[in-house]
């Protein structure tokens, strides 16, 4: 049985008719940029995340960048974040001219360690940028307390975590701004790139709306230097269809994760930790084992996909050599990058597929 790491085709088969109808509606209207589909999606996403405002953007990367820009982050400033995340998190900081400052992670959750983040704060720190990695919320209570104590802004990278909850509250709407990605493989994925910023601040949302349209407050008048980052109407229409299914899809991901947890129990590996009060949405189901590469090769030999997220931490990326970090600076993160492996995870997984994955992992460790 061949089992892909992620299968987008099954989801498309189920939604083919309503998605095609939604796209046709946009084409027939000949209204492609900043019209009704995008405005409707913004309202629905704002409600889902507990924010009062949402701004559709061209990508999750732009959401991070424009959040920082709108909050006044720029040259001379520092932003504390995690070294264990996709490059866009730190890249967005660098795009503003500010400096990313890394702090080590918690070994069990993969997320930014609030105590280590606190130790990384200096007089130049302007913001904290926690990442709800793989769909598991950060310890936002501790992060928000740190921000309040030190007078810092908080931007949540919720690109992988739409629908996740921390203490019964949805992520994205907890800090000053939350950033979502609608890349096709995300829990809520479009038919191309897309993103959104959510916030409880009308002023911040208003500024991002201007910045996403070349800093223009009215046609051919530019109060700021912005960028072109608008969520187009066809992407908004596709996402509008899918949004009605996100709660069910996330529930299925949690069910699959629970089955993995049970099936892999007793093996010499670590399954994802979920602290009390956190609702995980399992964008990825990531285990840790000292035999990561061997296990991945074994799964491949059985026709089963897997993935390594992320093999090289950000502080060791070639483009950040100038920051002065070296191997050994963040030992927890560096150990995790050598041990982490993500197993197949998508809502449409069948019982047979899950059983095959579990059997293959158990076989590798000599357990039936």
């Amino acid at each position: 049985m061949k089992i892909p790491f992620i299968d987008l085709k099954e989801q498309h088969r189920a939604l083919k008719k309503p998605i095609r109808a939604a796209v046709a509606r946009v084409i027939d209207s000949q209204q492609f940029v900043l019209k009704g589909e995008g405005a409707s999606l913004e309202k629905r996403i704002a409600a889902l995340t507990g924010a009062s405002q949402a701004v559709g953007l061209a990508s999750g990367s732009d959401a991070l960048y424009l959040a920082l820009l709108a909050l006044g982050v720029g040259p001379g400033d520092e932003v504390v974040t995690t070294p264990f995340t996709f490059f866009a998190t730190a890249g967005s900081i660098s795009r503003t001219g500010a400096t990313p400052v890394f702090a080590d992670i918690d070994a069990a959750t993969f997320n930014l360690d609030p105590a280590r983040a606190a130790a990384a704060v200096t007089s130049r720190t302007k913001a904290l940028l926690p990442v709800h990695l793989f769909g598991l919320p950060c310890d936002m209570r501790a992060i928000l307390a740190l921000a309040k104590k030190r007078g810092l802004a908080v931007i949540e990278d919720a690109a992988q975590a739409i629908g996740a909850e921390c203490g019964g509250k949805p992520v994205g709407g907890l800090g000053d701004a939350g950033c979502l990605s609608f890349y096709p493989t995300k829990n809520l994925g479009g038919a191309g790139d897309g993103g959104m910023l959510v916030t409880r601040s009308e002023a911040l949302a208003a500024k991002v709306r201007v910045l996403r349209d070349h800093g223009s407050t009215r046609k051919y008048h530019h109060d700021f230097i912005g960028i072109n980052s608008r969520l187009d109407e066809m992407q908004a229409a596709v996402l509008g269809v899918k949004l009605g299914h996100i709660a069910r899809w996330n529930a299925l991901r949690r069910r699959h994760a629970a089955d993995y947890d049970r099936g892999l129990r007793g093996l010499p590996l670590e399954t994802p930790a979920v602290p009390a009060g956190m609702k995980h949405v399992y964008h990825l189901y990531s285990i840790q084992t000292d035999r990561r590469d061997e296990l991945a090769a074994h799964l491949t030999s059985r026709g089963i996909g897997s993935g390594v997220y992320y093999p090289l931490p950000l502080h060791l990326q070639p483009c950040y050599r100038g920051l002065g970090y070296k191997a050994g600076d963040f030992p927890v993160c560096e150990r995790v990058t050598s041990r982490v492996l993500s197993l197949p995870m998508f809502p449409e997984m069948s019982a047979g597929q899950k059983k095959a994955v579990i059997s293959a992992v158990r076989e590798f460790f000599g357990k039936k």
Side-chain angles (χ1 to χ4, degrees):
M1 176 187 291
K2 284 193 173 295
I3 304 170
F5 179 59
I6 184 170
D7 187 350
L8 298 179
K9 292 181 179 178
E10 283 299 315
Q11 185 180 101
H12 178 65
R13 273 191 278 270
L15 298 178
K16 185 183 297 186
K17 288 184 178 179
I19 284 176
R20 287 184 173 179
V23 170
R25 183 172 67 243
V26 173
I27 293 173
D28 288 344
S29 75
Q30 288 294 289
Q31 302 291 307
F32 297 113
V33 180
L34 298 183
K35 298 298 180 182
E37 298 287 348
S40 173
L41 184 69
E42 287 174 345
K43 289 179 182 178
R44 294 171 66 192
I45 295 289
L48 177 66
T49 58
S52 61
Q53 306 289 319
V55 185
L57 301 164
S59 69
S61 300
D62 280 354
L64 290 164
Y65 170 60
L66 293 180
L68 290 159
L69 209 61
L71 286 164
V73 174
D77 295 329
E78 295 177 349
V79 178
V80 175
T81 192
T82 168
F84 189 55
T85 178
F86 181 58
F87 181 77
T89 307
S92 65
I93 299 168
S94 299
R95 287 172 71 188
T96 69
T99 301
V101 173
F102 300 114
D104 214 345
I105 62 172
D106 177 86
T109 65
F110 306 120
N111 284 331
L112 182 66
D113 183 317
R116 291 185 171 106
V121 172
T122 73
S123 60
R124 294 182 298 277
T125 305
K126 190 74 171 282
L128 305 175
L129 209 173
V131 181
H132 304 303
L133 199 69
F134 303 155
L136 177 66
C138 293
D139 183 353
M140 288 302 294
R141 183 167 62 177
I143 287 169
L144 290 171
L146 170 61
K148 183 177 181 180
K149 180 180 179 181
R150 299 300 297 268
L152 306 174
V154 176
I155 298 136
E156 299 174 69
D157 184 337
Q160 301 178 355
I162 189 168
E165 295 181 3
C166 176
K169 296 180 179 179
V171 301
L174 300 174
D176 294 282
C179 302
L180 308 175
S181 169
F182 302 133
Y183 187 77
T185 57
K186 294 297 194 293
N187 291 31
L188 179 63
D193 269 317
M196 193 166 286
L197 178 144
V198 297
T199 180
R200 289 172 282 108
S201 168
E202 290 186 15
L204 182 62
K207 187 163 186 181
V208 173
R209 289 190 182 99
V210 171
L211 289 171
R212 74 175 173 182
D213 196 18
H214 295 290
S216 176
T217 50
R218 56 194 175 98
K219 198 169 184 178
Y220 305 132
H221 290 75
H222 304 268
D223 292 353
F224 307 99
I225 298 173
I227 62 174
N228 176 9
S229 182
R230 301 171 298 220
L231 180 66
D232 71 72
E233 289 291 282
M234 282 196 279
Q235 291 300 336
V238 170
L239 291 163
V241 172
K242 291 188 173 186
L243 182 56
H245 301 270
I246 189 64
R248 178 173 62 85
W249 289 340
N250 282 344
L252 286 169
R253 287 174 181 271
R254 284 191 288 274
R255 183 185 304 173
H256 300 334
D259 289 341
Y260 274 150
D261 287 347
R262 284 189 292 270
L264 302 178
R265 192 171 294 145
L267 299 181
L269 55 78
E270 298 165 41
T271 54
V274 185
M278 303 296 187
K279 180 181 281 189
H280 204 322
V281 293
Y282 294 98
H283 172 61
L284 295 175
Y285 183 92
S286 299
I287 62 173
Q288 294 186 68
T289 171
D290 292 332
R291 301 176 65 191
R292 187 268 306 284
D293 294 339
E294 296 171 73
L295 175 56
H298 173 77
L299 293 174
T300 298
S301 74
R302 298 297 188 270
I304 298 170
S306 63
V308 176
Y309 298 84
Y310 298 93
L312 184 66
L314 296 186
H315 69 287
L316 299 180
Q317 293 289 343
C319 65
Y320 281 135
R321 285 193 186 115
L323 296 181
Y325 293 110
K326 62 185 183 302
D329 282 347
F330 304 115
V332 178
C333 170
E334 291 168 31
R335 183 168 187 267
V336 166
T337 59
S338 70
R339 303 179 75 241
V340 69
L341 184 70
S342 298
L343 301 180
M345 173 59 76
F346 47 94
E348 299 78 14
M349 285 187 75
S350 68
Q353 287 175 318
K354 283 183 287 186
K355 183 177 179 180
V357 175
I358 292 167
S359 295
V361 175
R362 296 189 69 84
E363 176 191 37
F364 173 77
F365 287 108
K367 305 286 185 179
K368 296 296 184 182

